Amino acid sequence: MFAAGVALRVPMKVKRAAKYGFCSGVRIADLKVKRFAAKGGRGAILGQVVHNERVVEEMERLGVRTIHDIAAVEEPTIVFSAHGVPPSFHDAAKDRGLDVLDTTCKFVYDIHREANKALVEGYHLVFIGDPKHREVIGYTHDLDPSRYHIVSKITEAETIDWSAYERVMVFYQTTLNADEFEDVVQAIERRASRVQRGDTICYATKENQDAARVLAEDPEVDVIIVIGGKKSANTKHLWEICREAKPAYLVQGAEDIDRAWLADASVVGLTAGSSTPDYVIDEVEQVLAAVER
Ligand code: SF4
């Protein structure tokens, strides 16, 4: 029995999205680097192994530091991340006498292969994506600039003379939501005589996005916490999906949680980008669950 007028405080309910966190490609990359380090391997990762600062710090503790130029490698091994690299980087590593630990995701390699095939067949290539993203750099860095375009906005698609190309093949950066670029691709299709679309959106990203949408629309959920690295494009995208329906906050870890966000909440939704390790998600959940409502 409780005294009259004494409010009963109960822990916050936390609801995880049905799909969230590490995709298979990142999980495998993470494992490969950890196994390498556990066997005493000394290496340097070109760019972040995944876009998550906690993972980068963990790798550095294991003795595998992050570098941004092949010339900066002092260790015997260079690690290529799940996003992949231009093929010429493999040659550059070989020329420097480095061993390569290649953690490129197999879906990224599929796109490299399909793009090469399309080039041989005479297609002009279009990559829908961010020209600064390492995955897109991996596809395009070694190509003749006259053989491809990188497009992400309809204004760009409308200014290019697509009629100059007999056949066009469209590839999407794996982590994009194809629906959001439909107008861009349709602008190309209206202007070019033959356009073929490659099926290159990664199912893992889409599954996390679909599950985030379901979570955001769940009437029981009051607030959503999205966990991921500052530079992770797919995490930012999950946050954008969530905040369309609910107050949503992006955090890198439990230390970023502001209790003021939860002041009126009874149920907190939780999701995470595909580069967020399980232990970070567990830490955030523990902190949220300890909040009383
Ligand atoms: S998001 Fe998809 S393509 Fe990218 S690393 Fe993960 S599994 Fe591979």
Side-chain angles (χ1 to χ4, degrees):
M1 284 287 270
F2 293 93
V6 176
L8 176 61
R9 309 281 292 170
V10 291
M12 182 74 72
K13 183 171 172 188
V14 182
K15 239 185 183 182
R16 292 192 185 202
K19 283 271 181 188
Y20 55 86
F22 269 8
C23 59
S24 61
V26 166
R27 201 170 285 283
I28 291 167
D30 184 64
L31 263 177
K32 277 185 177 173
V33 178
K34 283 181 181 157
R35 276 195 199 133
F36 166 79
K39 284 185 196 155
R42 285 200 318 115
I45 302 171
L46 184 64
Q48 297 183 343
V49 66
V50 295
H51 285 151
N52 187 288
E53 288 71 17
R54 287 285 295 274
V55 175
V56 171
E57 282 164 23
E58 191 189 0
M59 293 300 170
E60 292 193 351
R61 271 199 307 278
L62 292 171
V64 183
R65 70 191 175 103
T66 300
I67 44 102
H68 297 283
D69 189 333
I70 295 180
V73 182
E74 290 159 3
E75 298 80 352
T77 301
I78 185 164
V79 182
F80 292 143
S81 75
H83 300 108
V85 291
S88 63
F89 284 25
H90 285 265
D91 299 334
K94 204 168 151 199
D95 289 347
R96 290 210 51 212
L98 300 170
D99 293 328
V100 171
L101 175 60
D102 188 2
T103 72
T104 304
C105 175
K106 71 185 179 68
F107 299 124
V108 172
Y109 264 137
D110 285 347
I111 299 175
H112 277 270
R113 210 169 23 252
E114 288 301 313
N116 281 336
K117 188 164 162 266
L119 277 178
V120 171
E121 289 171 359
Y123 283 91
H124 184 77
L125 308 187
V126 178
F127 295 93
I128 308 288
D130 175 358
K132 294 198 194 105
H133 194 284
R134 280 189 289 139
E135 182 191 323
V136 176
I137 293 170
Y139 301 138
T140 57
H141 178 276
D142 294 349
L143 299 184
D144 173 347
S146 69
R147 300 292 312 268
Y148 74 91
H149 279 93
I150 305 170
V151 182
S152 60
K153 295 192 180 82
I154 188 153
T155 44
E156 294 165 348
E158 283 171 344
T159 52
I160 295 163
D161 177 14
W162 298 106
S163 66
Y165 309 108
E166 204 183 312
R167 293 191 293 172
V168 173
M169 178 76 89
V170 174
F171 294 98
Y172 298 87
Q173 186 180 322
T174 53
T175 46
L176 297 184
N177 179 338
D179 293 346
E180 289 167 17
F181 294 87
E182 188 56 29
D183 58 344
V184 178
V185 179
Q186 283 186 9
I188 299 169
E189 285 172 338
R190 277 197 299 276
R191 289 164 175 81
S193 40
R194 278 178 67 191
V195 180
Q196 205 171 319
R197 301 182 187 212
D199 179 15
T200 59
I201 299 285
C202 175
Y203 70 90
T205 307
K206 190 173 181 312
E207 282 176 358
N208 280 4
Q209 290 173 355
D210 289 347
R213 214 164 270 121
V214 171
L215 185 72
E217 281 159 14
D218 183 332
E220 200 193 6
V221 171
D222 302 306
V223 177
I224 301 179
I225 303 293
V226 183
I227 318 164
K230 268 191 267 179
K231 293 185 188 154
S232 162
N234 78 82
T235 306
K236 188 164 168 256
H237 200 81
L238 289 178
W239 173 62
E240 286 164 353
I241 289 170
C242 293
R243 74 180 177 161
E244 275 178 22
K246 295 278 159 68
Y249 301 96
L250 191 51
V251 301
Q252 290 191 80
E255 64 286 356
D256 294 338
I257 294 169
D258 182 342
R259 285 178 186 236
W261 302 337
L262 313 171
D264 301 319
S266 297
V267 179
V268 185
L270 193 60
T271 185
S274 63
S275 46
T276 311
D278 297 341
Y279 63 85
V280 175
I281 302 168
D282 293 343
E283 284 168 16
V284 170
E285 181 170 25
Q286 274 168 23
V287 169
L288 294 174
V291 174
E292 291 187 332
R293 57 187 159 118

